[in-house]
Amino acid sequence: MKNLFKKFLNNKSGATAIEYGLIAALIAVAVIGGVSQLGSSANATFTTISGSM
């Protein structure tokens, strides 16, 4: 039992998985923000072109 507890404390794979999950979440937030901003700009451009016609 003592040996199992030592193995659990020395295991770093869980921390690495959490770090990768956080990085993926931050990238997703950045992509969603960028696409949202790009969509607003494209909508404004198409509205201007539509009004010109």
Side-chain angles (χ1 to χ4, degrees), residues 6-23:
K6 283 183 182 181
K7 278 185 180 180
F8 178 74
L9 288 178
N10 290 332
N11 188 355
K12 303 294 183 198
S13 63
T16 303
I18 291 171
E19 290 169 355
Y20 284 138
L22 288 173
I23 290 170

Side-chain angles (χ1 to χ4, degrees), residues 1 6 12 22 25 33 41 43-44 47 51:
M1 182 72 168
K6 283 183 182 181
K12 303 294 183 198
L22 288 173
S41 297
N43 188 23
T47 302

